[in-house]
């Protein structure tokens, strides 16, 4: 497929038309210092059609720096996607602003082509939560949407595929530590094709030393600078005045190497600190991965500087990583020879210099997304709530367990209007084991209904049927213990059927009716999952929410507060077409 790839940065725009299969560049161009012109990005893009042959272009791929917590994969751009990108994350506003300016103008001047957004964060979006989360207070994390997003994902993904190809092994059996060393720099631990840890964080500031960013610093330094100099000046120092530039006064590694060879001490310091920091991450990531098959060096410093590569990779014999110094000095990667092995013959961990090619990565992603018969409609997000095991009681049972005319006391309100978790708990006693302290939900109901997960069922030694709420007739028996008495329920124990609560107006918006069965796709977790047999329940009293139990949440590694996408409604509906096109793509 012939793809026009547009990389609209804060100050420059690069564009290429390339063949996504062969990688051949058919046309390319660049506009610099666009931020200094009036309507810079728009004007510069309007000039593109005059410089290239638009008639051969089959699709347009846009690099978008930040997909936030919303985009885990590339998407076809429509107005909702544009809206979501613009709201992605405050910390990304500068980058995404430029990317969006590019997208808007490109759609105006090439309205008949499909435009695809490829996100630099997407590759990291399925990192395990231990890598994604910072050790900060949970309420602060939630309020400000703080987590490690990671960047340079298009490059890390692309070079890992190139390396696997070179090694003639499947990505699914390889562990890599990829070091993207350009003006930006980040390390990424890649396990079986997935990013499991990366050095850039919520913003691109964290991690390795970069051209003008410091990488890791003590947060105490940041707060001290904010106090002394103000927030704006601190941000400027951290983004524009630090890193190689801050240490040596130079930000181009070629100049730094020349000056270091001449004996200029700050340049020597810059190289020493730079390489030391990369070494630390390689050491840490071998621990994260429990070993590695290869270290990948890319970006223009990684690809071109034998000096830096040697400084980074020396003294790693203890993990079986050894380089051949002659091979290292002779490296000359190109699109014809994009991977060069610089390991010594007896190395257990290989060292590979890999040419990155972000534009080709974006073109391939675009072609892959459009490969099927694509009718992708905007996703239909459904908030997800995870229900722990709980009990609904009737008046009679309440009287026996907690005393005649006793009342439930509100512990905390829950999301569905009028309902609450009460202070009261009961014990469930099965033939095999017991579960104490099961929360009673209020208000009281007409029938007892005890909802447990499959894991509980095995623990109790009972056989609970899957039922919708209220369908307790002929369900399983269970013994309930309260502080005042015990009730031997003949029926009432169920595994709740997963369901979505919605109002009639939500139902209309989503194109479903009460009693419909739909599918809900969860993506962006380490274990993406599509839930089938999800029952739609419509009432004015509900708020929009899907309810699943703890086993179901664990299966998809979900936390409360995440969303799923309603992707399927009824056969022959437009949503079914989306699903089948997705299925086709998965099969490819
Ligand atoms: P990005 O894509 O992150 O903007 P690049 O991958 O283009 O950055 O890398 C830019 C850096 O690569 C600059 O610091 C530049 O000095 C360095 N670089 C390019 N060629 C060489 C070389 N031959 N030796 C050392 N460094 C080089």
């Amino acid at each position: 497929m012939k793809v026009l790839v547009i990389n609209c940065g804060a100050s420059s725009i690069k564009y290429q038309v390339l063949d996504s299969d062969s990688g051949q560049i058919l046309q390319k161009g660049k506009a610099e210092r666009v931020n200094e012109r009036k309507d810079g990005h728009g004007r510069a893009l309007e000039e593109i059609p005059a410089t290239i042959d638009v008639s051969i272009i089959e699709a347009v791929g846009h690099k978008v720096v930040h997909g936030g917590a919303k985009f885990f994969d590339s998407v076809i751009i429509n107005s909702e996607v544009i809206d979501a990108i613009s709201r992605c994350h405050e910390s990304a506003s500068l980058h995404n602003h430029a990317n969006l300016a590019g997208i808007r103008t490109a759609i105006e001047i090439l309205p008949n082509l499909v435009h695809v957004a490829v996100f630099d964060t997407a590759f990291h979006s399925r990192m395990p939560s231990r890598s994604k989360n910072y050790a900060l207070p949970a309420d602060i994390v939630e309020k400000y949407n703080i987590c490690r997003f990671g960047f340079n994902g298009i490059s890390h993904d692309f070079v890992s595929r190139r390396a696997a190809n070179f090694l003639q092994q499947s990505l699914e059996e390889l562990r890599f530590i990829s070091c993207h060393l350009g003006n930006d720099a980040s390390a990424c631990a890649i396990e079986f094709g997935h990013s499991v840890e990366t050095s850039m964080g919520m913003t691109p500031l964290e991690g390795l030393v970069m051209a003008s960013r410091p990488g890791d610093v003590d947060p105490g330094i940041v707060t001290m600078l904010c106090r002394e100099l103000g927030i704006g000046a601190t941000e400027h120092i951290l983004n524009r005045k630090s890193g190689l530039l801050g240490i040596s006064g130079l930000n181009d590694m070629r100049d730094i190497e020349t000056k270091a060879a001449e004996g200029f001490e700050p340049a020597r310091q810059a190289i020493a600190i730079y390489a030391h920091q990369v070494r630390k991450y390689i050491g840490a990531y071998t621990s994260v991965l429990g070993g590695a098959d290869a270290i990948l060096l890319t970006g223009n410093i990684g690809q071109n500087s034998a000096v830096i590569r040697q400084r980074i990779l020396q003294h790693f014999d203890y993990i079986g990583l050894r380089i051949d110094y002659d091979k290292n000095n002779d490296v000359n990667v190109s699109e014809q020879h994009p991977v060069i092995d610089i390991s010594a013959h007896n190395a257990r961990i290989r060292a590979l210099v890999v040419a990155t090619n972000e534009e080709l990565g974006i073109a391939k992603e675009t072609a892959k997304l459009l490969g099927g018969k694509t009718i992708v409609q905007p996703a239909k997000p459904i908030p997800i709530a995870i229900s722990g095991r709980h009990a609904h009681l009737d008046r009679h049972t309440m009287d026996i367990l907690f005393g005649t005319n006793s009342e439930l006391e509100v512990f905390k309100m829950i999301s569905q209007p009028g309902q609450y978790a009460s202070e009261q708990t009961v014990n469930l006693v099965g033939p095999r084991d017991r579960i104490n302290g099961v929360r009673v939900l209020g208000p009281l109901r007409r029938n007892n209904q005890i909802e447990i997960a499959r894991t509980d069922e095995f623990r109790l030694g009972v056989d609970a049927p899957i039922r919708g709420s209220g369908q307790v007739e002929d369900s399983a028996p269970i013994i309930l213990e309260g502080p005042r008495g015990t009730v031997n329920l003949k029926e009432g124990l169920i595994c709740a059927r997963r369901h979505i609560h919605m109002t009639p107006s939500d139902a209309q918006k989503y194109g479903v009716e009460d009693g419909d069965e739909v599918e809900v796709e969860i993506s962006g977790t380490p274990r993406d999952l599509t839930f089938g047999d999800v029952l739609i329940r419509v009432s004015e009293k509900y708020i929009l929410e899907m309810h699943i139990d703890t086993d179901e949440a664990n299966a998809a590694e979900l936390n409360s507060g995440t969303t799923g996408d309603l992707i399927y409604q009824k056969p022959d509906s437009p949503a079914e077409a989306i699903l089948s096109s997705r299925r086709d793509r998965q099969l490819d």
Side-chain angles (χ1 to χ4, degrees):
M1 180 178 267
K2 312 276 186 297
V3 182
L4 167 63
V5 173
I6 299 179
N7 182 351
C8 209
S11 62
S12 69
I13 298 174
K14 291 186 266 181
Y15 53 92
Q16 284 186 5
V17 180
L18 28 72
D19 185 313
S20 61
D21 293 324
S22 67
Q24 192 193 357
I25 300 172
L26 305 166
Q27 286 154 348
K28 69 178 193 177
K30 190 172 182 180
E32 295 197 90
R33 298 189 166 179
V34 289
N35 52 330
E36 293 170 19
R37 303 190 228 164
K38 189 164 182 289
D39 295 333
H41 290 88
R43 284 274 175 79
L45 278 163
E46 279 165 14
E47 290 161 12
I48 292 183
T51 61
I52 60 176
D53 177 7
V54 177
S55 66
I56 62 167
I57 303 171
E58 293 168 88
V60 186
H62 295 265
K63 176 176 173 178
V64 179
V65 171
H66 212 314
K70 169 89 185 160
F71 295 105
F72 315 117
D73 297 296
S74 307
V75 287
I76 293 181
I77 299 172
N78 57 29
S79 57
E80 288 185 21
V81 169
I82 291 179
D83 202 38
I85 293 173
S86 67
R87 282 185 281 107
C88 248
H89 204 274
E90 206 219 326
S91 64
S93 57
L94 189 68
H95 286 290
N96 278 12
H97 185 73
N99 301 152
L100 275 175
I103 288 171
R104 289 200 176 99
T105 314
I107 289 176
E108 257 172 49
I109 57 180
L110 301 168
N112 297 326
L113 291 171
V114 181
H115 293 250
V116 169
V118 181
F119 298 93
D120 219 17
T121 48
F123 185 54
H124 308 295
S125 64
R126 296 178 172 84
M127 281 190 303
S129 56
R130 61 177 174 271
S131 312
K132 250 188 165 169
N133 295 334
Y134 291 96
L136 290 167
D139 54 337
I140 299 286
V141 165
E142 192 182 341
K143 181 166 180 198
Y144 297 104
N145 190 17
I146 296 172
C147 71
R148 178 182 306 285
F149 290 108
F151 300 86
N152 295 148
I154 298 169
S155 177
H156 289 304
D157 185 17
F158 185 82
V159 295
S160 66
R161 289 171 195 279
R162 274 201 159 159
N165 209 18
F166 174 84
L167 296 172
Q168 298 189 324
Q169 275 179 272
S170 157
L171 255 185
E172 279 79 48
E173 57 191 37
L174 288 163
R175 291 162 306 163
F176 291 135
I177 298 168
S178 165
C179 304
H180 178 99
L181 310 176
N183 285 317
D184 274 355
S186 67
C188 181
I190 303 172
E191 188 177 52
F192 314 138
H194 300 280
S195 166
V196 291
E197 176 64 282
T198 192
S199 60
M200 282 179 168
M202 186 182 87
T203 75
L205 271 174
E206 194 183 342
L208 305 182
V209 175
M210 299 171 225
S212 63
R213 298 188 191 118
D216 293 336
V217 290
D218 176 354
I221 299 171
V222 181
T223 52
M224 184 271 284
L225 289 177
C226 284
R227 269 196 312 274
E228 296 292 325
L229 305 172
I231 293 169
T234 304
E235 281 186 333
H236 186 67
I237 288 169
L238 294 174
N239 280 297
R240 308 236 177 252
K241 295 284 179 191
S242 303
L244 296 172
L245 178 68
I247 307 168
S248 69
L250 303 161
N251 68 358
D252 190 309
M253 191 54 95
R254 285 166 291 199
D255 299 338
I256 294 171
E257 285 183 23
T258 306
K259 287 286 187 187
E262 289 169 5
F264 181 53
E265 187 50 33
R268 292 182 168 186
Q269 272 288 309
I271 289 175
I273 297 172
Y274 184 92
H276 176 71
Q277 188 75 344
V278 183
R279 288 176 57 76
K280 280 207 293 195
Y281 271 91
I282 292 175
Y285 286 4
T286 48
S287 301
V288 167
L289 293 172
D293 295 289
I295 312 295
L296 315 180
L297 294 148
T298 191
N300 264 324
I301 297 177
Q303 290 169 216
N304 294 309
S305 175
V307 170
I308 298 292
R309 284 196 301 265
Q310 179 170 329
R311 277 187 171 263
I312 291 172
L313 297 177
Q314 66 195 358
H315 307 315
F316 268 123
D317 292 41
Y318 75 99
I319 53 168
L321 170 61
R322 283 184 207 96
I323 62 166
D324 179 316
Y325 294 101
D326 291 333
K327 284 186 195 163
N328 181 43
N329 288 333
D330 292 343
V331 165
N332 186 8
V333 285
S334 63
E335 281 305 301
Q336 285 68 46
H337 300 285
V339 185
I340 292 179
D341 189 343
I342 58 168
S343 344
H345 73 278
N346 57 350
R348 263 188 296 113
I349 298 182
R350 315 274 284 270
L352 304 178
V353 182
V354 188
T356 193
N357 187 338
E358 253 191 358
E359 286 73 19
L360 182 55
I362 294 169
K364 282 187 181 295
E365 261 298 299
T366 304
K368 194 170 94 187
L369 185 65
L370 301 179
K373 23 182 171 55
T374 317
I375 326 160
V376 174
Q377 289 195 340
K380 297 176 171 177
I382 306 284
I384 294 178
I386 302 161
S387 307
R389 59 180 86 94
H390 61 268
H392 302 279
L393 303 180
D394 65 14
R395 181 68 260 172
H396 176 66
T397 309
M398 182 78 193
D399 285 344
I400 301 171
L401 296 178
F402 295 97
T404 309
N405 294 331
S406 58
E407 290 297 338
L408 291 173
E409 298 146 74
V410 177
F411 169 64
K412 70 172 186 202
M413 299 309 289
I414 57 176
S415 53
Q416 293 305 317
Q419 299 202 29
Y420 55 91
S422 73
E423 293 284 353
Q424 282 83 351
T425 60
V426 292
N427 301 333
L428 310 186
V429 184
R432 190 178 165 277
D433 199 354
R434 57 191 292 131
I435 299 177
N436 294 342
V438 174
R439 186 75 60 188
V440 178
L441 298 195
L444 294 176
R445 289 202 177 172
R446 194 140 39 92
N447 294 314
N448 295 304
Q449 181 172 308
I450 319 301
E451 300 180 35
I452 58 170
R454 275 277 178 262
T455 312
D456 300 333
E457 195 193 57
F458 285 101
R459 185 165 151 198
L460 293 168
V462 293
D463 184 7
I466 294 176
R467 293 285 177 84
S469 190
Q471 298 175 323
V472 287
E473 206 183 351
D474 290 333
S475 57
I478 188 75
I479 298 169
L480 303 182
E481 273 181 6
R484 295 287 185 85
T486 298
V487 177
N488 204 334
L489 288 187
K490 296 280 171 292
E491 60 185 24
L493 185 75
I494 63 168
C495 260
R497 186 169 172 196
R498 45 188 172 247
H499 56 274
I500 301 173
H501 288 286
M502 51 172 75
T503 61
S505 79
D506 285 330
Q508 196 179 21
K509 185 170 127 207
Y510 284 63
V512 292
E513 290 168 17
D514 190 48
D516 276 353
E517 277 182 11
V518 299
E519 297 192 5
V520 173
E521 185 185 74
I522 310 292
S523 49
T525 79
R527 292 199 285 170
D528 289 352
L529 190 68
T530 300
F531 287 112
D533 306 317
V534 183
L535 183 70
I536 297 285
R537 299 183 56 205
V538 180
S539 160
E540 283 293 359
K541 289 187 291 184
Y542 293 151
I543 64 159
L544 182 65
E545 204 166 57
M546 173 168 170
H547 287 187
I548 54 176
D549 69 28
T550 43
D551 281 359
E552 291 166 318
N554 288 339
E557 297 205 13
L558 272 179
N559 296 317
S560 262
T562 42
T563 61
D565 286 327
L566 196 153
I567 55 167
Y568 171 75
Q569 181 199 345
K570 292 168 189 156
D572 304 326
S573 71
E576 168 59 9
I578 300 166
L579 184 70
S580 63
S581 85
R582 287 189 192 196
R583 280 195 192 119
D584 289 351
R585 261 178 277 139
Q586 277 163 7
L587 291 177
D588 284 346

